[in-house]
Amino acid sequence: MSSGRGFRVGRRAELVENGGEPALQQQPTWGERVEKGTLVEFRHNNDRVLAVVQGTEGKKNLLLGVASGQVHSVHPRQITFALNGGSSFTASDIPGFWQAVQAKLDPESLALAWELVQEERRLLSLSEMAQLLFSDDSPVSTYAAYRLLSEDFIYFKAKGEGYEPRTPAQVKEIRHQIAVTQQRQQEQAEFEARLRAAVAQPGQKYTWTPAERARLELLERLALQGAAASIRSHEDLSHNLTPSDRERASQLLQLMGFPDTPQGAFDALVALGLWSRHENLALRLTGIPTQFPKEVERYTQTLLGGPPPFLDPHLRRDLTHLHTYTIDDASTRDIDDALSVEFWSDEEIKLWIHIADPSCWVQWGDPLDLEARRRGTSVYLPERVIPMFPPELSTGLMSLVQGEVRPALSFGIRLGCDGVVRNYEICLSQIQVNYRLTYDDADEMLELGAEAQLTAIARAARWRYAWRLAQGAIQIGLPEQDIKVMDEIPHLRVIEDTPARQMVAEMMVLAGEVAARFACQNGIPVPYRLQPAPELPPPEVLDLYPQGPVRSFAIMRCLSRAEVATQPGRHTGLGLDAYCQVTSPIRRYLDLVAHYQIKAFLRGDPLPLTEAEVQQLLLAIEPGTAEAVQVERKSKRYWSIEYLRQRPGQIWRALVLGYLREQENLVLALLDEIAFRVPVRLERQAPLAAWIELEVVQADPRADVIELREVGRDAP
């Protein structure tokens, strides 16, 4: 076996007679004869197997003996190589032959051979390649050359019956691609190891690279896809996975040992520390941005540390001499309204309602404005606040902070004891808050009569409220919830409609009416709020509902949704012929738009927006703000259910507000302690305004399931 010639077999082979001996012959296109005793390579179960030709079986198959002594009947298409050249082998020669071949299988030898012939643009035969690689073309060298070349994707390219050296540029590119692939494989192995470690060691913080985060986002999309399916009204398909992405998500879940389901993806993200077990999926589904773009952050930093760039000091009235109060919840940080009184008597009062002026820091079309426009509103969730402006501004320079001189848009209003606005003025101002009060503080001061000016404002609010009722305002008194979450524990309290809250609410409504009146009189396009008249039951029917929450609920079910328009119209709920929200420009973009327009008019500048542009803005912003409202409601509901889930066995006192489906005894009950409204199916007919006792049967906030049953009564 001193020399040999080999050839790749890519076409049908057959045994023919050669001088009385059968020989394996390639079809004429091979240009070779293969005889009995020829060493061949064939494919068996995707393995490459050496064998010796022993004969034929039937018309097509070849009988091949392997080293173990077994004989295989093989179709010629399975043969991938045949060693020819006069050497005759037996199956017992195969182990020694293969051992000799293995000693030569050094891939680096291909690189050296390529260096010698890289400039040649000709085909090299297998025999020539064996000579180039090993300086001989013995059977061992020939087969070793074939094995090396068959596994080479860098230096030589098989072409017909020969091998062509690749160009240096091709080799360089292939080497680069291999290096990239190896790097990716290494990163994948490290990623998988980190995943296993993160799951095995919950609570340990891991920093994931951007590439790893992109892979883990597949799990987020799968979890959100499951959440979206449970919210029938949600039509956003952006979280849907392509089949290939779905397969990759499945592989990740399998690797970590989690079920291949949306819930499994959610649990995996919690285990990895990327999501909380109370992750707000309603928020994630909307795509409401929770971070500010780098451009906005940079622009904000340029504003900090200097005076407001658009202050217009020569146009501002100095009202810092007024005794000024802010009244908010203790947790409020973006304080955007304040109250003062200039003089008062039993017949008349001069009120000042000051509204924060964020447009001193932001102008139409700048980065802050565009980002606020994109958001439309601040989002107030039990677990966090997502501000419309960066917090450095919204809770700092824009906010009416106690003791700091701040720019404001101030409404000076002379109000008669009959609640009628006798005259008013609107001016750009600067103010200084003297008292930063909570509602509890203000209620205590009003009860004690400790602040005469605060008492005067509260009395003016009562005048105003009586006037609005006379104008047809609809009175609704349903208790509201306040939910705050700290360390994943919800804290609920009932917001009572106290004198301080009534006073502040009435002053904000008054400022909104004056702003609308001013805009109407001066032809200033602003966003007006309207509410069509409801179809209320006749008085004799309405009187059947008990006074209080039950009647309020019955009226509330009849109310139409408020609308936004560029022309004034009746707001039935407030009892006003025109109303424009202007009191929360830090939190609501449309309030800021009204400020832009009114301030431009006061300065004598061209208005930033025409009526058509305001209308276009309303159409663009309303869907986003409506979505934010839905997220707030769903988040409050989630944490209300979680609050109940954490209190198994507790008995809840509840008020029957109304029937949802009377034939099924399905009522809406108000849990007195937490002001949570929840459907309950009773085993009996209960009268409206009845007090019942309930216990939780099932509470699953993630599945949005809450089931209660009445206790303390025997079933009928």
Side-chain angles (χ1 to χ4, degrees):
M1 297 190 297
S2 61
S3 66
R5 293 162 56 207
F7 49 84
R8 301 189 308 277
V9 178
R11 298 173 186 262
R12 185 168 60 87
E14 61 182 14
L15 271 174
V16 299
E17 293 296 324
N18 180 23
E21 293 290 333
L24 182 66
Q25 177 177 294
Q26 180 181 339
Q27 286 294 320
T29 53
W30 289 358
E32 298 283 352
R33 297 174 63 82
V34 181
E35 303 174 352
K36 183 178 178 179
T38 298
L39 189 74
V40 299
E41 177 193 88
F42 73 100
R43 291 283 182 180
H44 180 65
N45 295 332
N46 291 326
D47 291 328
R48 303 171 70 162
V49 181
L50 285 173
V52 175
V53 178
Q54 294 184 352
T56 62
E57 182 178 65
K59 292 183 178 181
K60 294 184 179 181
N61 282 16
L62 307 175
L63 294 176
L64 305 179
V66 297
S68 66
Q70 187 178 2
V71 177
H72 293 261
S73 178
V74 175
H75 192 282
R77 281 197 300 266
Q78 293 176 253
I79 296 176
T80 53
F81 176 85
L83 185 66
N84 214 352
S87 299
S88 182
F89 288 83
T90 64
S92 62
D93 295 326
I94 293 174
F97 179 85
W98 174 238
Q99 186 175 5
V101 168
Q102 283 182 302
K104 292 176 176 286
L105 297 182
D106 179 8
E108 289 299 318
S109 61
L110 280 174
L112 295 174
W114 177 81
E115 290 286 350
L116 296 174
V117 297
Q118 61 174 300
E119 299 300 331
E120 299 185 23
R121 300 267 65 84
R122 70 180 183 89
L123 288 179
L124 300 169
S125 69
L126 185 57
S127 177
E128 288 177 300
M129 287 300 306
Q131 290 281 357
L132 185 63
L133 287 163
F134 308 117
S135 301
D136 70 79
D137 61 352
S138 66
V140 168
S141 295
T142 300
Y143 184 63
Y146 166 72
R147 287 296 293 251
L148 285 171
L149 288 163
S150 65
E151 296 173 359
D152 170 45
F153 302 100
I154 303 176
Y155 302 105
F156 294 90
K157 177 172 64 176
K159 199 169 185 181
E161 291 301 314
Y163 297 89
E164 181 180 68
R166 298 183 190 274
T167 66
Q170 290 172 331
V171 170
K172 181 179 180 181
E173 177 60 24
I174 293 171
R175 282 172 170 167
H176 171 71
Q177 292 299 329
I178 290 174
V180 170
T181 300
Q182 290 173 341
Q183 178 67 24
R184 287 175 180 169
Q185 291 172 343
Q186 180 181 350
E187 290 173 354
Q188 177 66 17
E190 293 173 353
F191 173 58
E192 292 179 0
R194 281 158 54 77
L195 279 182
R196 294 190 188 96
V199 172
Q201 300 173 335
Q204 183 171 339
K205 285 288 185 181
Y206 282 84
T207 301
W208 305 96
T209 67
E212 290 171 338
R213 250 342 242 116
R215 298 180 195 180
L216 294 172
E217 282 176 5
L218 295 176
L219 298 182
E220 295 182 4
R221 289 166 60 192
L222 177 56
L224 291 174
Q225 189 171 301
S230 68
I231 303 174
R232 296 179 182 176
S233 62
H234 199 283
E235 299 179 356
D236 182 10
L237 301 179
S238 62
H239 304 288
N240 285 355
L241 294 168
T242 64
S244 60
D245 285 346
R246 184 65 180 83
E247 177 62 27
R248 287 196 289 271
S250 299
Q251 292 169 358
L252 285 174
L253 291 171
Q254 183 179 6
L255 178 68
M256 292 186 287
F258 287 92
D260 184 15
T261 62
Q263 184 60 48
F266 181 92
D267 293 338
L269 290 164
V270 173
L272 293 173
L274 294 172
W275 280 8
S276 157
R277 64 193 180 99
H278 294 294
E279 192 71 23
N280 194 324
L281 298 189
L283 173 63
R284 285 189 171 271
L285 277 169
T286 63
I288 292 173
T290 58
Q291 303 293 329
F292 285 91
K294 295 297 184 184
E295 178 193 3
V296 174
E297 291 181 350
R298 288 193 295 267
Y299 187 80
T300 298
Q301 292 304 314
T302 64
L303 297 178
L304 299 174
F310 316 115
L311 186 59
D312 301 322
H314 61 287
L315 295 176
R316 292 192 175 267
R317 187 185 302 184
D318 186 354
L319 298 179
T320 56
H321 63 282
L322 294 174
H323 202 70
T324 302
Y325 307 86
T326 62
I327 306 171
D328 287 281
D329 286 308
S331 60
T332 302
R333 294 293 175 264
D334 46 355
I335 301 170
D336 50 17
D337 57 81
L339 302 174
S340 304
V341 58
E342 189 168 345
F343 62 82
W344 69 95
S345 68
D346 292 340
E347 301 296 326
E348 187 178 83
I349 187 171
K350 173 68 178 289
L351 298 163
W352 281 98
I353 303 170
H354 312 286
I355 309 301
D357 188 3
S359 59
C360 280
W361 301 94
V362 54
Q363 277 197 322
W364 175 260
D366 72 11
L368 281 172
D369 172 77
L370 294 176
E371 181 65 16
R373 197 183 310 173
R374 181 168 75 102
R375 293 167 179 257
T377 181
S378 295
V379 185
Y380 292 85
L381 305 175
E383 66 272 30
R384 65 188 301 188
V385 175
I386 305 173
M388 188 173 75
F389 288 113
E392 301 94 321
L393 293 173
S394 62
T395 65
L397 295 174
M398 290 179 176
S399 184
L400 302 182
V401 178
Q402 180 182 3
E404 300 289 338
V405 175
R406 288 288 191 262
L409 184 65
S410 294
F411 297 77
I413 303 166
R414 289 183 58 187
L415 190 71
C417 60
D418 54 3
V420 174
V421 175
R422 296 188 175 170
N423 59 49
Y424 67 87
E425 58 181 317
I426 303 176
C427 65
L428 303 177
S429 67
Q430 57 181 18
I431 66 168
Q432 185 171 21
V433 174
N434 303 94
Y435 285 108
R436 196 273 197 239
L437 304 177
T438 66
Y439 284 109
D440 289 341
D441 295 334
D443 279 319
E444 184 176 359
M445 288 182 173
L446 290 173
E447 184 178 357
L448 297 174
E451 285 281 323
Q453 296 190 28
L454 201 63
T455 300
I457 298 172
R459 183 173 58 175
R462 292 192 295 272
W463 293 347
R464 185 64 183 169
Y465 181 60
W467 178 84
R468 285 198 306 107
L469 287 179
Q471 304 305 307
I474 298 174
Q475 182 180 10
I476 293 179
L478 280 173
E480 296 293 334
Q481 283 182 320
D482 178 54
I483 308 179
K484 295 290 186 291
V485 176
M486 291 172 281
D487 298 326
E488 298 190 342
I489 298 176
H491 301 269
L492 274 68
R493 68 183 180 94
V494 178
I495 300 176
E496 301 290 347
D497 194 18
T498 66
R501 290 185 182 275
Q502 293 169 359
M503 174 181 68
V504 173
E506 203 58 51
M507 293 298 102
M508 298 306 104
V509 172
L510 176 57
E513 187 205 2
V514 168
R517 187 184 300 187
F518 181 78
C520 290
Q521 291 173 346
N522 294 286
I524 306 171
V526 295
Y528 294 96
R529 303 251 346 153
L530 295 68
Q531 188 178 42
E535 295 184 9
L536 293 175
E540 61 273 15
V541 174
L542 201 56
D543 287 341
L544 298 177
Y545 293 94
Q547 285 280 7
V550 172
R551 183 176 295 188
S552 291
F553 176 69
I555 294 173
M556 188 181 69
R557 296 176 75 176
C558 299
L559 293 179
S560 304
R561 284 189 58 188
E563 302 171 0
V564 187
T566 57
Q567 289 293 322
R570 178 77 175 167
H571 194 297
T572 303
L574 297 178
L576 300 175
D577 291 329
Y579 177 64
C580 170
Q581 287 185 320
V582 292
T583 58
S584 294
I586 301 176
R587 311 175 190 182
R588 294 189 299 247
Y589 187 74
L590 292 184
D591 292 38
L592 181 65
V593 169
H595 277 234
Y596 284 148
Q597 298 286 85
I598 291 172
K599 282 183 61 178
F601 182 87
L602 292 174
R603 292 193 305 261
D605 294 340
L607 300 182
L609 298 165
T610 65
E611 182 177 342
E613 289 168 334
V614 173
Q615 178 63 38
Q616 187 177 10
L617 201 59
L618 299 184
L619 295 175
I621 288 176
E622 274 300 290
T625 55
E627 194 171 48
V629 169
Q630 286 300 313
V631 171
E632 290 175 346
R633 289 176 180 170
K634 289 172 184 174
S635 301
K636 290 180 68 175
R637 177 175 170 82
Y638 177 96
W639 286 107
S640 295
I641 296 174
E642 174 63 12
Y643 185 88
L644 295 174
R645 189 194 67 80
Q646 292 180 5
R647 289 158 177 78
Q650 182 167 335
I651 304 301
W652 301 90
R653 185 170 179 262
L655 179 70
V656 176
L657 286 178
Y659 273 88
L660 302 176
R661 289 197 293 271
E662 192 166 357
Q663 69 277 14
E664 300 177 22
N665 291 338
L666 183 64
V667 303
L668 187 71
L670 176 70
L671 302 189
D672 182 50
E673 186 177 327
I674 59 174
F676 183 43
R677 288 175 282 199
V678 59
V680 181
R681 184 170 277 104
L682 303 178
E683 296 294 330
R684 64 186 178 97
Q685 283 275 337
L688 296 181
W691 287 99
I692 58 177
E693 291 186 332
L694 302 173
E695 68 174 352
V696 176
V697 176
Q698 183 183 7
D700 184 346
R702 182 62 61 206
D704 192 30
V705 171
I706 177 66
E707 181 183 353
L708 299 98
R709 68 182 172 203
E710 187 179 7
V711 296
R713 287 182 61 93
D714 295 329

